Amino acid sequence: MENHEIDYEIFGEEMQYVEVELDPDEAAIAEAGSFMMMDSDIKMDTIFGDGSNQEKGVLGKLFSAGKRLLTGESLFMTAFLNIGQGKKRVSFASPYPGKIIPIDLSEKGGKFICQKDAFLCAAKGVSVGIEFSRKLGRGFFGGEGFIMQKLEGDGMAFVHAGGTMARKELAAGETIRVDTGCIVGFTKDVDYNIEFVGGIKNTVFGGEGLFFATLRGPGVVYVQSLPFSRLASRVWAAAPQMGGKDKGEGSVLGGLGNILDGDNSF
């Protein structure tokens, strides 16, 4: 095995966090902003690149860091190393309400493909790169689901699903259609493409976007009910506009205020 072997426990229901147990000289990697708490004798270290073993040379590190830039992530990741004598623990928190999904890459054929903002943390040695699309349609029309990350290695990784998570196990040739933003991830043998919704009414009035993802088995697909982009758009739409003026949301007078202000979106 190339990856560090880590034990873990997931706590909570709606706002979960994962506690990772590290033996001496074991380490975990995480994206910036996911750290919650840790024991003493755990050393934090900023690493350059995708989090895999760092014996790549300068060019290899630059290439892995460049791939991360394409997914909108930082050039750097954070490593948490146990430099003490006994077992130590470090915890990573969910960014918003949902579920943390443990992914054992050794059971997934060494590769798992996930939404670019789904990755939370992993054992040291897991490579966090970009999954390049070989089909042109994905690139032009994929939207939120176009740039996917790939997690490679034989260790544990943890991804986050917003809202409620659905696990769909697809037989060979079985197909499921999913909103591109609702994809959390899928195993390496799942075929993934973008499909046009079709129909002028659906296109103009449907409100669900022009395209959805088609995933074909065999393999396992994880779907989330609340992608972050959808949560953010709803919060933005509900936020008081026009300089932060409160219109009394949730009241009759608030509705009348919307009409008088020329806003009938209540």
Side-chain angles (χ1 to χ4, degrees):
M1 300 211 18
E2 297 180 358
N3 301 161
H4 292 197
E5 296 184 55
I6 58 174
D7 297 319
Y8 70 91
E9 187 173 357
I10 295 174
F11 295 89
E13 294 297 331
E14 303 304 327
M15 287 296 295
Q16 294 186 327
Y17 72 92
V18 57
E19 181 183 82
V20 174
E21 185 178 81
L22 301 175
D23 291 329
D25 296 323
E26 282 185 346
I29 59 170
E31 293 283 9
S34 62
F35 168 69
M36 179 179 171
M37 60 183 174
M38 64 183 179
D39 292 341
S40 60
D41 291 332
I42 290 184
K43 177 184 177 184
M44 291 179 60
D45 190 21
T46 299
I47 57 177
F48 187 63
D50 62 5
S52 58
N53 292 319
Q54 296 294 297
E55 295 81 11
K56 293 182 175 181
V58 176
L59 290 179
K61 293 179 183 179
L62 285 174
F63 181 68
S64 66
K67 290 189 296 182
R68 288 177 50 76
L69 278 183
L70 291 175
T71 64
E73 303 293 348
S74 168
L75 284 170
F76 301 92
M77 299 188 75
T78 306
F80 297 83
L81 174 66
N82 181 2
I83 59 174
Q85 298 300 315
K87 294 179 181 292
K88 301 296 179 181
R89 295 170 179 84
V90 56
S91 299
F92 305 96
S94 301
Y96 56 97
K99 299 295 182 183
I100 295 175
I101 308 170
I103 304 293
D104 188 343
L105 292 175
S106 66
E107 297 178 355
K108 299 290 190 292
K111 180 179 178 180
F112 184 80
I113 300 166
C114 64
Q115 189 78 265
K116 67 183 182 66
D117 58 355
F119 172 71
L120 189 65
C121 60
K124 179 71 181 297
V126 172
S127 171
V128 185
I130 181 173
E131 174 71 6
F132 287 102
S133 175
R134 294 186 294 272
K135 295 186 179 180
L136 191 62
R138 298 180 193 167
F140 284 116
F141 309 120
E144 299 161 277
F146 160 48
I147 298 181
M148 307 292 286
Q149 285 186 330
K150 61 180 177 181
L151 310 177
E152 293 182 299
D154 53 16
M156 290 296 304
F158 301 88
V159 297
H160 179 259
T164 301
M165 185 273 292
R167 182 184 185 275
K168 300 293 184 181
E169 190 160 349
L170 303 180
E174 185 179 359
T175 299
I176 185 173
R177 293 171 175 171
V178 183
D179 180 272
T180 54
C182 289
I183 299 174
V184 178
F186 45 88
T187 51
K188 66 175 186 176
D189 292 327
V190 172
D191 182 60
Y192 165 70
N193 207 351
I194 297 296
E195 186 174 327
F196 180 58
V197 171
I200 186 66
K201 288 191 296 183
N202 289 334
T203 301
V204 178
F205 305 113
E208 297 294 342
L210 301 181
F211 303 91
F212 47 67
T214 300
L215 301 111
R216 180 175 290 104
V220 178
V221 178
Y222 296 89
V223 182
Q224 59 187 346
S225 66
L226 184 63
F228 179 72
S229 58
R230 186 174 296 177
L231 173 64
S233 65
R234 297 294 172 86
V235 171
W236 176 256
Q241 301 298 314
M242 301 179 64
K245 180 168 61 176
D246 188 357
K247 299 179 182 177
E249 181 182 356
S251 69
V252 175
L253 291 178
L256 292 175
N258 287 341
I259 295 175
L260 294 174
D261 285 344
D263 180 4
N264 60 358
S265 59
F266 63 97

